[in-house]
């Protein structure tokens, strides 16, 4: 079980399956719940960072496209439209609770290049020190190689782990469309059992993780294992749980067992 006494800085990642309905339109009710929970935790003293996917899915819908775009140019166009829409919604909702948000769009080059990485870390620290909530996404409208390769960092799962490391976060929470990692695919096997904690990632676990996720997203459990490895190597616990109920954040900070916790043995656990 996670020891929340040591946790103050939390990165929360939400994917397209959490932010949108199956038809691609924004799930306003769920976004409202998510924003309210993050603001409430911010008021409780936690430093919160939100990594948000969904720009391409939201943009495609706003552009009236019948399906998720397949060509690079259309994906980037949809990302440009969708990112504007997402930030408009986030800015409006967070301001209702008196919280100022900041948009941060990153690419792989920003993470790899030393001086850029240092500047990003300094920006995160400054924003959090001022009580703001940074909202991070990949700059899909210009990051050609990332969009071509599984829509960037793997539906932002890898990006969220990178951000957690950059921020020196105490915890990464990844919201997905499942309750966590199961010992087999629960959509095919009703007897599948939730794995409550993972301390080591091996070949057997990778086989269990399977492939892609939902139609509106690109990241399945396999990309989440990659993110978990990045976090575990840095000593950062990562928790995967269902984003259908953003109120799960309260359960998490209260130290209750929920979803699947990835961490090295002894790292922030009780």
């Amino acid at each position: 079980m996670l020891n929340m006494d040591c946790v103050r800085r939390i990165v929360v990642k939400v994917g397209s399956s959490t932010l949108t309905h199956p038809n691609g339109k924004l799930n306003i009710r769920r976004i409202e719940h998510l924003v309210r929970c993050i603001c409430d935790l911010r008021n409780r003293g936690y430093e919160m960072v939100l990594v948000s996917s969904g720009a391409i899915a939201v943009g495609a819908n706003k552009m009236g496209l019948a399906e998720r775009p397949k060509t690079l140019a259309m994906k980037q166009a949809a990302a440009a439209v969708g990112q504007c829409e997402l930030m408009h919604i986030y800015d409006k909702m967070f301001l209702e609770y008196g919280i100022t948000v900041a948009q941060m769009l990153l690419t792989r080059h920003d993470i790899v290049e030393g001086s850029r990485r240092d500047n990003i870390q300094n920006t995160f620290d400054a924003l959090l020190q001022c009580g703001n909530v940074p909202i991070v996404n990949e700059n899909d409208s210009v990051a050609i190689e990332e969009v071509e390769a599984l829509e960037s960092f793997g539906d932002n799962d890898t990006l969220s782990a990178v951000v957690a490391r950059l921020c020196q976060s105490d915890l990464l929470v990844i919201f997905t469309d499942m309750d966590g990692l199961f010992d087999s695919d629960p959509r095919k096997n009703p007897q599948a059992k939730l794995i409550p904690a993972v301390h080591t990632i091996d070949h057997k676990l990778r086989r269990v993780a399977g492939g892609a996720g939902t139609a509106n997203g690109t990241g399945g459990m396999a990309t989440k294992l990659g993110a978990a490895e990045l976090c575990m190597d840095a000593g950062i616990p990562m928790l995967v749980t269902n984003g259908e109920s953003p109120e799960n954040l309260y359960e998490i900070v209260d130290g209750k067992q929920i979803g699947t916790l990835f961490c090295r043995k002894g790292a922030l656990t009780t």
Side-chain angles (χ1 to χ4, degrees), residues 41-59:
L41 293 181
R42 181 68 193 83
N43 289 343
R44 285 174 61 173
Y46 292 100
E47 295 179 336
M48 306 297 296
V49 178
L50 177 61
V51 177
S52 175
S53 298
I56 294 178
V58 171

Side-chain angles (χ1 to χ4, degrees), residues 46-222:
Y46 292 100
E47 295 179 336
M48 306 297 296
V49 178
L50 177 61
V51 177
S52 175
S53 298
I56 294 178
V58 171
N61 182 268
K62 191 169 185 179
M63 294 168 70
L65 304 181
E67 59 182 4
R68 190 181 183 87
K70 294 182 172 59
T71 66
L72 176 61
M74 287 303 294
K75 287 177 182 177
Q76 293 183 311
V81 172
Q83 190 62 35
C84 180
E85 178 76 359
L86 276 176
M87 284 308 302
H88 171 73
I89 295 294
Y90 280 136
D91 187 49
K92 180 179 179 180
M93 290 187 177
F94 273 96
L95 278 178
E96 289 182 359
Y97 299 100
I99 300 295
T100 299
V101 298
Q103 177 178 245
M104 295 187 68
L105 298 177
L106 306 179
T107 68
R108 283 189 187 272
H109 296 301
D110 298 325
I111 305 304
V112 173
E113 205 277 316
S115 61
R116 290 187 184 183
R117 184 174 62 248
D118 292 342
N119 289 335
I120 292 168
Q121 289 176 314
N122 293 337
T123 301
F124 274 123
D125 287 339
L127 288 170
L128 293 170
Q129 184 179 353
C130 293
N132 305 136
V133 173
I135 298 181
V136 188
N137 196 358
E138 182 148 16
N139 197 352
D140 289 328
S141 61
V142 300
I144 297 175
E145 65 275 21
E146 284 83 1
V147 175
E148 287 180 328
L150 252 188
E151 307 296 39
S152 65
F153 287 88
D155 197 29
N156 282 353
D157 290 329
T158 304
L159 176 62
S160 67
V162 170
V163 168
R165 292 176 62 136
L166 285 171
C167 290
Q168 296 181 309
S169 173
D170 301 311
L171 174 66
L172 168 61
V173 177
I174 292 185
F175 279 135
T176 184
D177 57 354
M178 299 179 69
D179 293 334
L181 178 65
F182 287 78
D183 58 6
S184 62
D185 192 339
R187 291 167 294 193
K188 299 177 181 178
N189 177 17
Q191 303 302 318
K193 296 180 180 180
L194 179 70
I195 302 173
V198 172
H199 302 300
T200 303
I201 297 176
D202 52 24
H203 294 299
K204 181 180 178 181
L205 200 64
R206 293 184 193 282
R207 287 196 298 269
V208 168
T214 59
N216 284 329
T218 55
M221 278 295 168

